[in-house]
Amino acid sequence: MPETTASDTPVSTADHGAVRVITVNRPDKLNALNAATLDSLHVAFDAAADDPAVRVVVLTGAGPKAFVAGADIAEMNALTPVQGRDFSLRGTRMMRRVERMPKPVIAMVNGFALGGGLELAMCCHLRIASESAKVGQPEINLGLIPGFGGTQRLLRLAGRAATLELCLTGAPIDAARALQLGIVNRVVPAAELEAETMKLAEQLANAAPLALRGMIDCINIGGECGIEEGLEYESVQFGLVFSTQDMREGTAAFLERRKPEFKGE
Ligand code: COA
């Protein structure tokens, strides 16, 4: 398995077939997001988007304790208001890049996903959490507010009551409650997290890439516009998949009672 893990980069990547695993790699700081990590993630996601051999991305955190324990508090402590805004924009830009990836991104939430960590998980398309994971928006305890889209994405994912509760109290919740609130898609025992995540990733890696992309685009757009525009956009995307070989292959394979082989063409 080809792997890039430079000691001076806070993000490492490894390919497992068509699945690229991107790991935030600052375990001694519970993978806190400083500016360098935000930038490295942006570069890693750009590369995964551009590489036709990559069909699915899995995002996780290094070490046994944390997915990401938030934005880097030590780095934020000294920021001026202008620098604070730029730090927020930097994170928001990167997370928007993740959300708008043309291929599925799965967050493998292996521990604390707090503040910027939950914000990062929420911009992924799917989230699988270990039973031991804890998620929350604890910024209030620092006299802060979420700055990488937390108030907005949590609101859309879990609704007003849960968002107000998590943001105003700052109290983390366990994985079972996160599942109940729709913040994560699945919860599995810690020992099974990697295998279950890879199983899902491989399933998606075998699906028709251009249809996956069309759906991600429709769902992103639909979350941000009115129903008429969203339906219109879906119809256009629906028409577009008729231009793909994969659609001919998928429908032909069904009629011929065989397994389809999708090429992303
Ligand atoms: N920013 C910077 N450093 C962080 C961090 C963050 N968000 N979260 C953890 N760290 C660092 C700690 O400072 C510590 O570094 P040190 O060993 O050099 O002192 C190291 O990571 C381990 O963290 P520690 O607090 O000792 O682990 P713990 O198991 O006792 O507690 C948490 C774990 C997650 C409860 C605790 O680290 C925490 O509350 N982190 C901050 C969460 C947060 O507020 N996030 C939102 C930020 S906007």
Side-chain angles (χ1 to χ4, degrees):
M1 164 209 336
E3 185 157 2
T4 53
T5 316
S7 54
D8 58 347
T9 157
V11 169
S12 63
T13 64
D15 287 344
H16 304 250
V19 180
R20 175 153 302 169
V21 179
I22 298 178
T23 304
V24 182
N25 195 18
R26 298 184 75 208
D28 54 325
K29 296 291 177 193
L30 303 188
N31 305 317
L33 301 174
N34 57 10
T37 309
L38 295 174
D39 289 350
S40 295
L41 280 168
H42 204 136
V43 169
F45 275 95
D46 275 344
D50 291 345
D51 188 339
V54 175
R55 287 199 180 180
V56 177
V57 178
V58 169
L59 175 64
T60 193
K65 275 177 80 169
F67 174 73
V68 165
D72 191 312
I73 298 166
E75 194 168 273
M76 284 191 297
N77 174 258
L79 298 185
T80 66
V82 170
Q83 290 167 334
R85 185 187 63 172
D86 285 344
F87 185 64
S88 169
L89 290 173
R90 198 174 206 141
T92 297
R93 218 163 37 227
M94 181 274 284
M95 293 192 193
R96 197 71 164 143
R97 206 294 161 252
V98 175
E99 189 166 57
R100 292 184 163 183
M101 281 288 284
K103 39 195 93 173
V105 182
I106 306 170
M108 182 165 83
V109 183
N110 54 316
F112 291 113
L114 300 174
L118 179 56
E119 291 169 310
L120 184 61
M122 288 193 294
C123 66
C124 298
H125 304 129
L126 296 165
R127 284 157 291 286
I128 303 190
S130 98
E131 279 172 355
S132 56
K134 293 234 174 344
V135 313
Q137 298 287 165
E139 288 87 349
I140 186 64
N141 300 325
L142 304 163
L144 274 168
I145 71 168
F148 299 153
T151 58
Q152 303 306 298
R153 289 200 180 88
L154 190 56
L155 182 62
R156 285 161 176 75
L157 204 55
R160 186 177 162 85
T163 304
L164 282 163
E165 180 191 326
L166 264 70
C167 291
L168 300 190
T169 69
I173 57 172
D174 63 18
R177 177 115 200 276
L179 180 66
Q180 202 179 39
L181 292 173
I183 297 172
V184 299
N185 297 93
R186 270 182 72 194
V187 177
V188 299
E192 291 164 31
L193 180 65
E194 197 170 334
E196 288 298 318
T197 305
M198 291 310 286
K199 199 153 81 180
L200 175 63
E202 273 150 31
Q203 181 195 328
L204 296 177
N206 287 319
L210 296 169
L212 290 173
R213 179 180 187 167
M215 287 189 288
I216 291 169
D217 284 352
C218 284
I219 293 161
N220 279 339
I221 295 280
E224 295 162 19
C225 69
I227 185 78
E228 285 303 332
E229 295 89 339
L231 291 172
E232 183 68 30
Y233 187 78
E234 187 188 84
S235 294
V236 171
Q237 288 289 326
F238 184 76
L240 202 57
V241 291
F242 283 73
S243 68
T244 67
Q245 285 176 25
D246 283 347
M247 176 270 174
R248 304 291 163 202
E249 162 67 6
T251 49
F254 175 84
L255 296 171
E256 293 160 16
R257 297 182 180 275
R258 61 175 173 83
K259 208 165 164 270
E261 198 184 317
F262 296 118
K263 296 196 170 117
E265 291 166 3

PDB file of all heavy atoms in Angstrom, residues 162-193:
ATOM      1  N   ALA A 162     -31.483  20.429  18.996  1.00  0.00           N
ATOM      2  CA  ALA A 162     -30.201  19.772  19.300  1.00  0.00           C
ATOM      3  C   ALA A 162     -29.046  20.746  19.113  1.00  0.00           C
ATOM      4  O   ALA A 162     -28.093  20.749  19.905  1.00  0.00           O
ATOM      5  CB  ALA A 162     -30.016  18.553  18.398  1.00  0.00           C
ATOM      6  N   THR A 163     -29.122  21.576  18.077  1.00  0.00           N
ATOM      7  CA  THR A 163     -28.030  22.524  17.814  1.00  0.00           C
ATOM      8  C   THR A 163     -27.910  23.536  18.937  1.00  0.00           C
ATOM      9  O   THR A 163     -26.815  23.823  19.433  1.00  0.00           O
ATOM     10  CB  THR A 163     -28.266  23.247  16.467  1.00  0.00           C
ATOM     11  OG1 THR A 163     -28.393  22.254  15.453  1.00  0.00           O
ATOM     12  CG2 THR A 163     -27.110  24.165  16.126  1.00  0.00           C
ATOM     13  N   LEU A 164     -29.044  24.064  19.368  1.00  0.00           N
ATOM     14  CA  LEU A 164     -29.005  25.021  20.482  1.00  0.00           C
ATOM     15  C   LEU A 164     -28.468  24.341  21.739  1.00  0.00           C
ATOM     16  O   LEU A 164     -27.647  24.908  22.462  1.00  0.00           O
ATOM     17  CB  LEU A 164     -30.407  25.601  20.727  1.00  0.00           C
ATOM     18  CG  LEU A 164     -30.794  26.690  19.717  1.00  0.00           C
ATOM     19  CD1 LEU A 164     -32.289  26.941  19.721  1.00  0.00           C
ATOM     20  CD2 LEU A 164     -30.034  27.984  20.009  1.00  0.00           C
ATOM     21  N   GLU A 165     -28.896  23.099  21.982  1.00  0.00           N
ATOM     22  CA  GLU A 165     -28.424  22.393  23.182  1.00  0.00           C
ATOM     23  C   GLU A 165     -26.910  22.191  23.131  1.00  0.00           C
ATOM     24  O   GLU A 165     -26.184  22.517  24.080  1.00  0.00           O
ATOM     25  CB  GLU A 165     -29.138  21.043  23.303  1.00  0.00           C
ATOM     26  CG  GLU A 165     -28.697  20.245  24.519  1.00  0.00           C
ATOM     27  CD  GLU A 165     -29.212  18.808  24.496  1.00  0.00           C
ATOM     28  OE1 GLU A 165     -30.324  18.578  23.989  1.00  0.00           O
ATOM     29  OE2 GLU A 165     -28.480  17.931  24.982  1.00  0.00           O
ATOM     30  N   LEU A 166     -26.423  21.638  22.021  1.00  0.00           N
ATOM     31  CA  LEU A 166     -24.979  21.337  21.949  1.00  0.00           C
ATOM     32  C   LEU A 166     -24.138  22.611  21.999  1.00  0.00           C
ATOM     33  O   LEU A 166     -23.108  22.656  22.670  1.00  0.00           O
ATOM     34  CB  LEU A 166     -24.654  20.535  20.685  1.00  0.00           C
ATOM     35  CG  LEU A 166     -24.602  19.026  20.913  1.00  0.00           C
ATOM     36  CD1 LEU A 166     -25.970  18.433  21.194  1.00  0.00           C
ATOM     37  CD2 LEU A 166     -23.973  18.325  19.718  1.00  0.00           C
ATOM     38  N   CYS A 167     -24.575  23.642  21.267  1.00  0.00           N
ATOM     39  CA  CYS A 167     -23.768  24.874  21.212  1.00  0.00           C
ATOM     40  C   CYS A 167     -23.862  25.674  22.508  1.00  0.00           C
ATOM     41  O   CYS A 167     -22.852  26.171  23.004  1.00  0.00           O
ATOM     42  CB  CYS A 167     -24.207  25.746  20.037  1.00  0.00           C
ATOM     43  SG  CYS A 167     -23.800  25.045  18.433  1.00  0.00           S
ATOM     44  N   LEU A 168     -25.041  25.805  23.065  1.00  0.00           N
ATOM     45  CA  LEU A 168     -25.188  26.667  24.246  1.00  0.00           C
ATOM     46  C   LEU A 168     -24.618  26.025  25.499  1.00  0.00           C
ATOM     47  O   LEU A 168     -24.058  26.711  26.352  1.00  0.00           O
ATOM     48  CB  LEU A 168     -26.662  27.051  24.470  1.00  0.00           C
ATOM     49  CG  LEU A 168     -27.351  27.825  23.343  1.00  0.00           C
ATOM     50  CD1 LEU A 168     -28.709  28.353  23.796  1.00  0.00           C
ATOM     51  CD2 LEU A 168     -26.500  28.979  22.825  1.00  0.00           C
ATOM     52  N   THR A 169     -24.765  24.693  25.643  1.00  0.00           N
ATOM     53  CA  THR A 169     -24.223  24.041  26.851  1.00  0.00           C
ATOM     54  C   THR A 169     -22.762  23.661  26.671  1.00  0.00           C
ATOM     55  O   THR A 169     -22.021  23.580  27.656  1.00  0.00           O
ATOM     56  CB  THR A 169     -24.990  22.748  27.196  1.00  0.00           C
ATOM     57  OG1 THR A 169     -24.709  21.749  26.199  1.00  0.00           O
ATOM     58  CG2 THR A 169     -26.489  22.976  27.291  1.00  0.00           C
ATOM     59  N   GLY A 170     -22.343  23.396  25.446  1.00  0.00           N
ATOM     60  CA  GLY A 170     -20.961  22.956  25.207  1.00  0.00           C
ATOM     61  C   GLY A 170     -20.702  21.530  25.646  1.00  0.00           C
ATOM     62  O   GLY A 170     -19.585  21.032  25.504  1.00  0.00           O
ATOM     63  N   ALA A 171     -21.717  20.859  26.185  1.00  0.00           N
ATOM     64  CA  ALA A 171     -21.494  19.511  26.729  1.00  0.00           C
ATOM     65  C   ALA A 171     -21.398  18.493  25.600  1.00  0.00           C
ATOM     66  O   ALA A 171     -22.252  18.474  24.708  1.00  0.00           O
ATOM     67  CB  ALA A 171     -22.640  19.144  27.665  1.00  0.00           C
ATOM     68  N   PRO A 172     -20.375  17.639  25.635  1.00  0.00           N
ATOM     69  CA  PRO A 172     -20.283  16.595  24.612  1.00  0.00           C
ATOM     70  C   PRO A 172     -21.349  15.521  24.823  1.00  0.00           C
ATOM     71  O   PRO A 172     -21.820  15.313  25.947  1.00  0.00           O
ATOM     72  CB  PRO A 172     -18.887  16.009  24.793  1.00  0.00           C
ATOM     73  CG  PRO A 172     -18.407  16.441  26.110  1.00  0.00           C
ATOM     74  CD  PRO A 172     -19.239  17.605  26.571  1.00  0.00           C
ATOM     75  N   ILE A 173     -21.709  14.851  23.753  1.00  0.00           N
ATOM     76  CA  ILE A 173     -22.651  13.733  23.838  1.00  0.00           C
ATOM     77  C   ILE A 173     -21.952  12.465  23.345  1.00  0.00           C
ATOM     78  O   ILE A 173     -20.965  12.547  22.606  1.00  0.00           O
ATOM     79  CB  ILE A 173     -23.941  13.991  23.016  1.00  0.00           C
ATOM     80  CG1 ILE A 173     -23.602  14.270  21.537  1.00  0.00           C
ATOM     81  CG2 ILE A 173     -24.744  15.137  23.617  1.00  0.00           C
ATOM     82  CD1 ILE A 173     -24.824  14.337  20.634  1.00  0.00           C
ATOM     83  N   ASP A 174     -22.485  11.312  23.774  1.00  0.00           N
ATOM     84  CA  ASP A 174     -21.844  10.070  23.348  1.00  0.00           C
ATOM     85  C   ASP A 174     -22.364   9.651  21.967  1.00  0.00           C
ATOM     86  O   ASP A 174     -23.306  10.250  21.417  1.00  0.00           O
ATOM     87  CB  ASP A 174     -21.995   8.965  24.406  1.00  0.00           C
ATOM     88  CG  ASP A 174     -23.450   8.580  24.643  1.00  0.00           C
ATOM     89  OD1 ASP A 174     -24.311   8.890  23.793  1.00  0.00           O
ATOM     90  OD2 ASP A 174     -23.730   7.963  25.690  1.00  0.00           O
ATOM     91  N   ALA A 175     -21.751   8.590  21.440  1.00  0.00           N
ATOM     92  CA  ALA A 175     -22.052   8.179  20.067  1.00  0.00           C
ATOM     93  C   ALA A 175     -23.512   7.748  19.918  1.00  0.00           C
ATOM     94  O   ALA A 175     -24.151   8.023  18.889  1.00  0.00           O
ATOM     95  CB  ALA A 175     -21.113   7.052  19.653  1.00  0.00           C
ATOM     96  N   ALA A 176     -24.052   7.081  20.949  1.00  0.00           N
ATOM     97  CA  ALA A 176     -25.436   6.598  20.859  1.00  0.00           C
ATOM     98  C   ALA A 176     -26.398   7.778  20.704  1.00  0.00           C
ATOM     99  O   ALA A 176     -27.328   7.740  19.883  1.00  0.00           O
ATOM    100  CB  ALA A 176     -25.785   5.773  22.098  1.00  0.00           C
ATOM    101  N   ARG A 177     -26.152   8.848  21.475  1.00  0.00           N
ATOM    102  CA  ARG A 177     -27.048  10.017  21.362  1.00  0.00           C
ATOM    103  C   ARG A 177     -26.823  10.719  20.013  1.00  0.00           C
ATOM    104  O   ARG A 177     -27.778  11.217  19.397  1.00  0.00           O
ATOM    105  CB  ARG A 177     -26.782  10.966  22.544  1.00  0.00           C
ATOM    106  CG  ARG A 177     -27.587  12.245  22.499  1.00  0.00           C
ATOM    107  CD  ARG A 177     -28.594  12.372  23.638  1.00  0.00           C
ATOM    108  NE  ARG A 177     -29.640  13.338  23.334  1.00  0.00           N
ATOM    109  CZ  ARG A 177     -29.515  14.662  23.522  1.00  0.00           C
ATOM    110  NH1 ARG A 177     -28.420  15.154  24.059  1.00  0.00           N
ATOM    111  NH2 ARG A 177     -30.511  15.464  23.204  1.00  0.00           N
ATOM    112  N   ALA A 178     -25.581  10.745  19.556  1.00  0.00           N
ATOM    113  CA  ALA A 178     -25.296  11.370  18.254  1.00  0.00           C
ATOM    114  C   ALA A 178     -26.043  10.636  17.139  1.00  0.00           C
ATOM    115  O   ALA A 178     -26.544  11.249  16.202  1.00  0.00           O
ATOM    116  CB  ALA A 178     -23.788  11.373  17.990  1.00  0.00           C
ATOM    117  N   LEU A 179     -26.135   9.320  17.286  1.00  0.00           N
ATOM    118  CA  LEU A 179     -26.871   8.521  16.295  1.00  0.00           C
ATOM    119  C   LEU A 179     -28.361   8.857  16.350  1.00  0.00           C
ATOM    120  O   LEU A 179     -29.016   9.077  15.321  1.00  0.00           O
ATOM    121  CB  LEU A 179     -26.655   7.034  16.573  1.00  0.00           C
ATOM    122  CG  LEU A 179     -27.358   6.061  15.628  1.00  0.00           C
ATOM    123  CD1 LEU A 179     -26.785   6.181  14.213  1.00  0.00           C
ATOM    124  CD2 LEU A 179     -27.212   4.623  16.126  1.00  0.00           C
ATOM    125  N   GLN A 180     -28.859   8.938  17.590  1.00  0.00           N
ATOM    126  CA  GLN A 180     -30.282   9.257  17.793  1.00  0.00           C
ATOM    127  C   GLN A 180     -30.636  10.616  17.162  1.00  0.00           C
ATOM    128  O   GLN A 180     -31.706  10.789  16.588  1.00  0.00           O
ATOM    129  CB  GLN A 180     -30.497   9.327  19.298  1.00  0.00           C
ATOM    130  CG  GLN A 180     -31.882   9.144  19.802  1.00  0.00           C
ATOM    131  CD  GLN A 180     -31.860   9.231  21.328  1.00  0.00           C
ATOM    132  OE1 GLN A 180     -31.139  10.053  21.918  1.00  0.00           O
ATOM    133  NE2 GLN A 180     -32.644   8.385  21.966  1.00  0.00           N
ATOM    134  N   LEU A 181     -29.693  11.565  17.234  1.00  0.00           N
ATOM    135  CA  LEU A 181     -29.947  12.910  16.713  1.00  0.00           C
ATOM    136  C   LEU A 181     -29.647  13.027  15.215  1.00  0.00           C
ATOM    137  O   LEU A 181     -29.844  14.085  14.631  1.00  0.00           O
ATOM    138  CB  LEU A 181     -29.087  13.930  17.468  1.00  0.00           C
ATOM    139  CG  LEU A 181     -29.454  14.159  18.951  1.00  0.00           C
ATOM    140  CD1 LEU A 181     -28.412  15.055  19.613  1.00  0.00           C
ATOM    141  CD2 LEU A 181     -30.846  14.773  19.078  1.00  0.00           C
ATOM    142  N   GLY A 182     -29.145  11.946  14.627  1.00  0.00           N
ATOM    143  CA  GLY A 182     -28.840  11.992  13.191  1.00  0.00           C
ATOM    144  C   GLY A 182     -27.509  12.656  12.868  1.00  0.00           C
ATOM    145  O   GLY A 182     -27.230  12.979  11.720  1.00  0.00           O
ATOM    146  N   ILE A 183     -26.683  12.860  13.889  1.00  0.00           N
ATOM    147  CA  ILE A 183     -25.387  13.507  13.647  1.00  0.00           C
ATOM    148  C   ILE A 183     -24.409  12.508  13.029  1.00  0.00           C
ATOM    149  O   ILE A 183     -23.558  12.875  12.228  1.00  0.00           O
ATOM    150  CB  ILE A 183     -24.833  14.118  14.959  1.00  0.00           C
ATOM    151  CG1 ILE A 183     -25.775  15.219  15.450  1.00  0.00           C
ATOM    152  CG2 ILE A 183     -23.411  14.650  14.774  1.00  0.00           C
ATOM    153  CD1 ILE A 183     -25.445  15.763  16.820  1.00  0.00           C
ATOM    154  N   VAL A 184     -24.525  11.236  13.419  1.00  0.00           N
ATOM    155  CA  VAL A 184     -23.721  10.198  12.759  1.00  0.00           C
ATOM    156  C   VAL A 184     -24.673   9.184  12.124  1.00  0.00           C
ATOM    157  O   VAL A 184     -25.822   9.030  12.548  1.00  0.00           O
ATOM    158  CB  VAL A 184     -22.743   9.481  13.732  1.00  0.00           C
ATOM    159  CG1 VAL A 184     -21.746  10.468  14.332  1.00  0.00           C
ATOM    160  CG2 VAL A 184     -23.469   8.725  14.823  1.00  0.00           C
ATOM    161  N   ASN A 185     -24.170   8.494  11.104  1.00  0.00           N
ATOM    162  CA  ASN A 185     -25.005   7.522  10.390  1.00  0.00           C
ATOM    163  C   ASN A 185     -25.044   6.168  11.055  1.00  0.00           C
ATOM    164  O   ASN A 185     -26.053   5.459  10.997  1.00  0.00           O
ATOM    165  CB  ASN A 185     -24.475   7.318   8.962  1.00  0.00           C
ATOM    166  CG  ASN A 185     -24.540   8.587   8.159  1.00  0.00           C
ATOM    167  OD1 ASN A 185     -23.592   9.345   8.098  1.00  0.00           O
ATOM    168  ND2 ASN A 185     -25.685   8.846   7.553  1.00  0.00           N
ATOM    169  N   ARG A 186     -23.899   5.796  11.669  1.00  0.00           N
ATOM    170  CA  ARG A 186     -23.795   4.460  12.267  1.00  0.00           C
ATOM    171  C   ARG A 186     -22.851   4.509  13.433  1.00  0.00           C
ATOM    172  O   ARG A 186     -21.903   5.301  13.454  1.00  0.00           O
ATOM    173  CB  ARG A 186     -23.219   3.459  11.255  1.00  0.00           C
ATOM    174  CG  ARG A 186     -24.241   2.770  10.415  1.00  0.00           C
ATOM    175  CD  ARG A 186     -23.560   1.785   9.487  1.00  0.00           C
ATOM    176  NE  ARG A 186     -23.044   0.610  10.180  1.00  0.00           N
ATOM    177  CZ  ARG A 186     -22.191  -0.256   9.633  1.00  0.00           C
ATOM    178  NH1 ARG A 186     -21.745  -0.072   8.416  1.00  0.00           N
ATOM    179  NH2 ARG A 186     -21.797  -1.303  10.312  1.00  0.00           N
ATOM    180  N   VAL A 187     -23.077   3.603  14.403  1.00  0.00           N
ATOM    181  CA  VAL A 187     -22.147   3.450  15.528  1.00  0.00           C
ATOM    182  C   VAL A 187     -21.764   1.980  15.583  1.00  0.00           C
ATOM    183  O   VAL A 187     -22.627   1.104  15.499  1.00  0.00           O
ATOM    184  CB  VAL A 187     -22.812   3.879  16.858  1.00  0.00           C
ATOM    185  CG1 VAL A 187     -21.850   3.651  18.026  1.00  0.00           C
ATOM    186  CG2 VAL A 187     -23.234   5.343  16.798  1.00  0.00           C
ATOM    187  N   VAL A 188     -20.460   1.724  15.704  1.00  0.00           N
ATOM    188  CA  VAL A 188     -19.984   0.340  15.766  1.00  0.00           C
ATOM    189  C   VAL A 188     -18.973   0.218  16.903  1.00  0.00           C
ATOM    190  O   VAL A 188     -18.381   1.222  17.320  1.00  0.00           O
ATOM    191  CB  VAL A 188     -19.333  -0.105  14.424  1.00  0.00           C
ATOM    192  CG1 VAL A 188     -20.327  -0.051  13.286  1.00  0.00           C
ATOM    193  CG2 VAL A 188     -18.114   0.735  14.099  1.00  0.00           C
ATOM    194  N   PRO A 189     -18.754  -1.005  17.415  1.00  0.00           N
ATOM    195  CA  PRO A 189     -17.731  -1.174  18.440  1.00  0.00           C
ATOM    196  C   PRO A 189     -16.376  -0.695  17.922  1.00  0.00           C
ATOM    197  O   PRO A 189     -16.077  -0.852  16.730  1.00  0.00           O
ATOM    198  CB  PRO A 189     -17.717  -2.691  18.696  1.00  0.00           C
ATOM    199  CG  PRO A 189     -19.058  -3.160  18.250  1.00  0.00           C
ATOM    200  CD  PRO A 189     -19.449  -2.267  17.109  1.00  0.00           C
ATOM    201  N   ALA A 190     -15.567  -0.135  18.823  1.00  0.00           N
ATOM    202  CA  ALA A 190     -14.277   0.444  18.414  1.00  0.00           C
ATOM    203  C   ALA A 190     -13.443  -0.557  17.617  1.00  0.00           C
ATOM    204  O   ALA A 190     -12.812  -0.191  16.614  1.00  0.00           O
ATOM    205  CB  ALA A 190     -13.516   0.922  19.651  1.00  0.00           C
ATOM    206  N   ALA A 191     -13.467  -1.813  18.042  1.00  0.00           N
ATOM    207  CA  ALA A 191     -12.632  -2.831  17.386  1.00  0.00           C
ATOM    208  C   ALA A 191     -13.076  -3.102  15.953  1.00  0.00           C
ATOM    209  O   ALA A 191     -12.303  -3.639  15.153  1.00  0.00           O
ATOM    210  CB  ALA A 191     -12.662  -4.128  18.195  1.00  0.00           C
ATOM    211  N   GLU A 192     -14.311  -2.746  15.631  1.00  0.00           N
ATOM    212  CA  GLU A 192     -14.828  -3.019  14.280  1.00  0.00           C
ATOM    213  C   GLU A 192     -14.865  -1.780  13.383  1.00  0.00           C
ATOM    214  O   GLU A 192     -15.266  -1.856  12.223  1.00  0.00           O
ATOM    215  CB  GLU A 192     -16.242  -3.604  14.377  1.00  0.00           C
ATOM    216  CG  GLU A 192     -16.263  -5.003  14.961  1.00  0.00           C
ATOM    217  CD  GLU A 192     -17.664  -5.435  15.418  1.00  0.00           C
ATOM    218  OE1 GLU A 192     -18.648  -4.994  14.806  1.00  0.00           O
ATOM    219  OE2 GLU A 192     -17.730  -6.193  16.405  1.00  0.00           O
ATOM    220  N   LEU A 193     -14.468  -0.640  13.952  1.00  0.00           N
ATOM    221  CA  LEU A 193     -14.654   0.626  13.224  1.00  0.00           C
ATOM    222  C   LEU A 193     -13.945   0.621  11.869  1.00  0.00           C
ATOM    223  O   LEU A 193     -14.546   0.963  10.842  1.00  0.00           O
ATOM    224  CB  LEU A 193     -14.162   1.804  14.077  1.00  0.00           C
ATOM    225  CG  LEU A 193     -14.309   3.174  13.422  1.00  0.00           C
ATOM    226  CD1 LEU A 193     -15.777   3.530  13.223  1.00  0.00           C
ATOM    227  CD2 LEU A 193     -13.615   4.244  14.260  1.00  0.00           C
TER     228      LEU A 193
END
